[in-house]
Amino acid sequence: MGGGSSKGDNEDKVDKLAATAPDEELVAAARDLPLPPGHQLLAEFASALEREYALREGPIVGDFLDGLDEARLKRESIKVKNFITWTEWVEALIRRSYSQRMVMNIEELREIWGLSPPAQASGCGGAPSGIPVAEATPVQGYAQPNEANAAPVVATAVPFAQTQAAQQAPIAYATPVYGSQP
């Protein structure tokens, strides 16, 4: 970051915190935000933590801190030293969570920080990949005792993610159970 400090300067502090700080203190630090919930800097830091620890892409947090403009923090009325100390505690929490025992995962951290999950690629014809999509399996209905010779009722389901054109067709066909309709 700006004045010659880098992740290497903080690595020993993060290692020590990750090894010795009580879980509840690490969690309390993560909840003690130096910025308003949902702030862009929080989103960038959360992304760096996720990429380094959850996705194991390398020293991304260090790159984030090295590239952080001190003037940006000052515009937010944040002392650089205080912000760096806060990031050390949060990084220690995530490091412990992804290398020793889970204390708080990235999704929980994002929620506490008022951040929405990162955009995910769509699957299943436009439905978000985290939403379950119904898969239809025809199921035969049971004939009523006095309708033993009646045609079975077959229900079909239309998957959530089908296109608009496919949804114009009826989604179920049924044979009346008690006689014909008036």
Side-chain angles (χ1 to χ4, degrees), residues 88-101:
E88 291 167 353
W89 279 82
V90 174
E91 184 177 3
L93 168 68
I94 297 302
R95 182 177 294 178
R96 178 180 292 168
S97 295
Y98 283 87
S99 65
Q100 297 173 12
R101 70 181 177 285

Side-chain angles (χ1 to χ4, degrees), residues 57-150:
E57 292 181 11
I60 306 298
V61 173
D63 294 345
F64 164 76
L65 293 173
D66 289 345
L68 190 58
D69 181 16
E70 291 182 22
R72 187 175 178 193
L73 291 174
K74 289 178 182 176
R75 281 193 302 272
E76 300 292 338
S77 301
I78 298 173
K79 292 182 180 179
V80 174
K81 183 179 178 195
N82 293 348
F83 185 77
I84 295 302
T85 300
W86 177 76
T87 63
E88 291 167 353
W89 279 82
V90 174
E91 184 177 3
L93 168 68
I94 297 302
R95 182 177 294 178
R96 178 180 292 168
S97 295
Y98 283 87
S99 65
Q100 297 173 12
R101 70 181 177 285
M102 185 57 68
V103 178
M104 179 182 292
N105 65 38
I106 296 292
E107 292 78 20
E108 292 169 317
L109 188 73
R110 285 182 190 280
E111 185 176 325
I112 289 168
W113 290 0
L115 303 171
S116 57
Q120 297 178 0
S122 292
C124 301
S129 60
I131 296 177
V133 177
E135 292 185 25
T137 303
V139 178
Q140 295 209 356
Y142 295 98
Q144 296 296 320
N146 61 352
E147 303 255 45
N149 294 331

Side-chain angles (χ1 to χ4, degrees), residues 11-35:
E11 195 69 25
D12 290 340
K13 293 175 188 175
V14 173
D15 284 341
K16 184 175 179 181
L17 287 169
T20 62
D23 290 349
E24 53 276 353
E25 288 183 26
L26 293 171
V27 171
R31 292 178 183 278
D32 187 21
L33 301 179
L35 296 157

